[in-house]
Amino acid sequence: MKKTICNAYKSLSGQKWDAPFILSLLVFETVLSLAIIRFVPYTEIDWVAYNEEVDGYTSGERDYMKIRGQTGPLVYPAGFLYLYSVLQYLTGGDGSDVRKGQYLFAILYVVNSAIVLVLYTMIARRLNDGDDSGRKKKTDDEPANDMSMAHSIWSWRVCMVICCLSKRIHSIFVLRLFNDAPTMLLFYLSAYLFAKSRWRIGCFVFSLAVSVKMNVLLYAPGLLLLLLQSSPSLVETIVCLSICAGVQLILGAPFLLTYPVSYLRKAFEFDRVFFYEWTVNWKFLPEDVFVSRPLSTVLLICHIGFLLLFLRKWITSVRAQTGRIIFLPQISPSSKLTPEYVTYTLFISNFIGIAFARTLHYQFYSWYFHTVPILLWMSTSVPFSLRIVLLVGIEYAFNVFPATSLSSAVLQCCHLLILGFLFMSKIPRVVEKN
């Protein structure tokens, strides 16, 4: 009996079971999302304000300073207006059919989950089937041939299940209809394209994400490094960056050609001061400290400093593995960055920004929730039990409302611990084996 169970355990860890496993999780996510819509009351926060801002745009207003909703002036780039104009049309023409909007966002959530789970599965297989471990690569139908590999695969599947269990993330998508949701869907699609070495189309989708909400720029430092490393020369890097810039110019053209200063100041408002009452990560500080410029300056210095610290670690590792730092295809025309290295670099770039964010609101959890499990599972220095503790700690902090000194302290401690473990961990293989 025991032998039968062990054989089934190993057999089910085979690659041919990856698709059924992902499909089962997506079915679960679909049913859960529909149940939430059916049984949990919708709470109005920003949906009405979004539609009021769309009304201002569709009525012909192009001055961003004058486009407002009930929560204040419009502070998102032009892509937001185009996207929510479509959503408004699909929800009764004026956004009044909120239930239909919830169903649309449920679709967005399931698609987002599908992209994330496929990305996780690709990374898990590469790390466990030989692409990055030196083990012999298995065929698609061959089950894991040893118990340790089966344990590793099932550990990654636990990681994927965790990605489907966040109360707050479901709320952000199907109960609040925040623009963070479509923004992150576009980003994860771009991350998948980058992992597949589709750099130009990836940059196009990445810039679309930025056009809906600029928090995606937290991934930009990592992306810039990856573009420099994946390109055969500076020309290709400039082409990719031009695609990013071109998307912003085209989408923003109606506003840039009429009220350019107004558009740039509001759509990309880097000096925005947030309300203390909504902060999730700094409630243990007095309000006067939270809104002070010295705190903002210290956090910016820490953000830049840790980016440079990790960059030094990256440069050392890449040089040790390849003998170069950038333009790695010059080593061999067939040299490609590995999906695990691409994903790890992008997600750490964003996480550093999160750890030293000026503030985190509840919906900002979607900016990095799906990146934390994969970072912890890819890190070589974090025990399994501690991974769970850290994930539970973060989830706890984002489900305490209103935030307290304790919940904020727990959140920041988890962030700093993860940051420390990431710095101590090995960087994945940089370039594909030829």
Side-chain angles (χ1 to χ4, degrees):
M1 183 66 177
K2 182 179 179 181
K3 184 177 181 181
T4 301
I5 295 174
C6 288
N7 287 337
Y9 179 79
K10 290 189 288 185
S11 178
L12 290 173
S13 69
Q15 189 167 343
K16 66 180 180 180
W17 293 102
D18 287 345
F21 182 76
I22 292 175
L23 182 61
S24 66
L25 290 180
L26 294 178
V27 171
F28 168 78
E29 287 282 48
T30 301
V31 173
L32 180 58
S33 297
L34 293 176
I36 291 172
I37 294 171
R38 174 66 177 83
F39 296 107
V40 181
Y42 164 80
T43 302
E44 169 55 37
I45 297 180
D46 282 340
W47 177 253
V48 171
Y50 291 165
N51 282 283
E52 289 173 346
E53 290 161 353
V54 168
D55 289 339
Y57 161 68
T58 55
S59 66
E61 183 60 68
R62 296 297 179 264
D63 186 349
Y64 250 57
M65 293 292 186
K66 297 179 181 179
I67 301 177
R68 302 179 62 88
Q70 65 180 16
T71 58
L74 175 60
V75 292
Y76 308 119
F80 161 84
L81 287 173
Y82 306 142
L83 173 62
Y84 273 80
S85 294
V86 174
L87 291 173
Q88 184 184 75
Y89 173 78
L90 295 174
T91 53
D94 57 358
S96 59
D97 192 346
V98 176
R99 180 55 60 91
K100 184 179 288 186
Q102 288 184 276
Y103 287 130
L104 291 172
F105 271 73
I107 294 171
L108 292 179
Y109 177 73
V110 174
V111 173
N112 182 85
S113 296
I115 296 169
V116 169
L117 293 175
V118 169
L119 185 61
Y120 268 59
T121 300
M122 177 172 61
I123 300 301
R125 279 296 162 193
R126 289 181 56 84
L127 294 178
N128 288 282
D129 289 356
D131 286 296
D132 192 59
S133 64
R135 293 175 177 170
K136 181 181 177 181
K137 184 178 176 68
K138 304 197 311 310
T139 62
D140 288 354
D141 296 326
E142 182 184 353
N145 55 14
D146 59 69
M147 189 60 74
S148 62
M149 186 175 291
H151 285 330
S152 181
I153 291 297
W154 281 107
S155 173
W156 273 94
R157 288 179 178 173
V158 169
C159 177
M160 295 164 68
V161 170
I162 290 172
C163 288
C164 302
L165 297 179
S166 172
K167 175 183 176 182
R168 181 59 66 186
I169 293 299
H170 285 91
S171 172
I172 291 168
F173 272 82
V174 301
L175 292 179
R176 306 293 186 265
L177 314 186
F178 287 123
N179 65 329
D180 306 80
T183 299
M184 294 313 299
L185 187 157
L186 288 169
F187 166 73
Y188 287 119
L189 177 57
S190 74
Y192 176 78
L193 292 169
F194 292 142
K196 302 294 286 186
S197 296
R198 302 292 301 276
W199 296 101
R200 293 187 179 184
I201 185 63
C203 284
F204 175 79
V205 178
F206 181 87
S207 194
L208 287 179
V210 173
S211 77
V212 180
K213 194 166 186 176
M214 70 173 183
N215 67 281
V216 178
L217 290 175
L218 291 175
Y219 294 91
L223 177 58
L224 177 59
L225 176 63
L226 293 172
L227 290 176
L228 287 169
Q229 292 176 330
S230 64
S231 301
S233 67
L234 185 60
V235 173
E236 180 61 23
T237 301
I238 293 174
V239 169
C240 290
L241 293 177
S242 298
I243 291 172
C244 292
V247 170
Q248 297 304 315
L249 291 173
I250 292 171
L251 294 179
F255 310 96
L256 291 169
L257 294 175
T258 50
Y259 299 94
V261 175
S262 174
Y263 178 71
L264 293 174
R265 278 190 56 81
K266 300 308 294 182
F268 301 95
E269 192 176 16
F270 292 102
D271 59 349
R272 184 181 177 189
V273 178
F274 293 91
F275 292 113
Y276 178 72
E277 63 178 307
W278 295 111
T279 186
V280 179
N281 57 332
W282 294 117
K283 263 297 173 67
F284 54 83
L285 296 177
E287 183 172 1
D288 60 325
V289 175
F290 172 79
V291 299
S292 67
R293 185 168 294 276
L295 176 64
S296 178
T297 302
V298 169
L299 291 174
L300 179 60
I301 292 172
C302 288
H303 185 182
I304 296 173
F306 271 81
L307 283 174
L308 294 174
L309 189 65
F310 274 80
L311 176 61
R312 182 182 178 186
K313 175 183 174 69
W314 254 238
I315 288 175
T316 301
S317 179
V318 172
R319 182 185 287 120
Q321 291 188 40
T322 67
R324 297 182 63 91
I325 299 174
I326 58 176
F327 307 139
L328 300 184
Q330 291 185 3
I331 302 172
S332 169
S334 61
S335 295
K336 291 184 178 180
L337 300 183
T338 63
E340 54 270 28
Y341 174 75
V342 171
T343 304
Y344 199 63
T345 301
L346 284 171
F347 288 2
I348 285 182
S349 174
N350 177 69
F351 187 79
I352 293 171
I354 293 293
F356 299 107
R358 183 69 178 78
T359 190
L360 292 176
H361 290 182
Y362 289 94
Q363 65 267 34
F364 296 1
Y365 192 23
S366 62
W367 296 3
Y368 74 116
F369 166 74
H370 290 103
T371 72
V372 177
I374 196 170
L375 287 176
L376 290 174
W377 259 253
M378 290 180 71
S379 299
T380 55
S381 58
V382 189
F384 180 85
S385 58
L386 185 54
R387 297 171 190 171
I388 302 300
V389 169
L390 291 169
L391 291 171
V392 170
I394 295 174
E395 180 71 16
Y396 156 77
F398 275 98
N399 281 281
V400 174
F401 180 82
T404 64
S405 296
L406 176 61
S407 65
S408 290
V410 168
L411 180 62
Q412 290 300 74
C413 285
C414 289
H415 285 168
L416 293 178
L417 282 171
I418 292 173
L419 201 59
F421 282 122
L422 292 175
F423 188 75
M424 291 186 294
S425 297
K426 294 181 180 179
I427 296 174
R429 183 182 300 278
V430 177
V431 178
E432 296 276 17
K433 292 181 180 178
N434 292 324

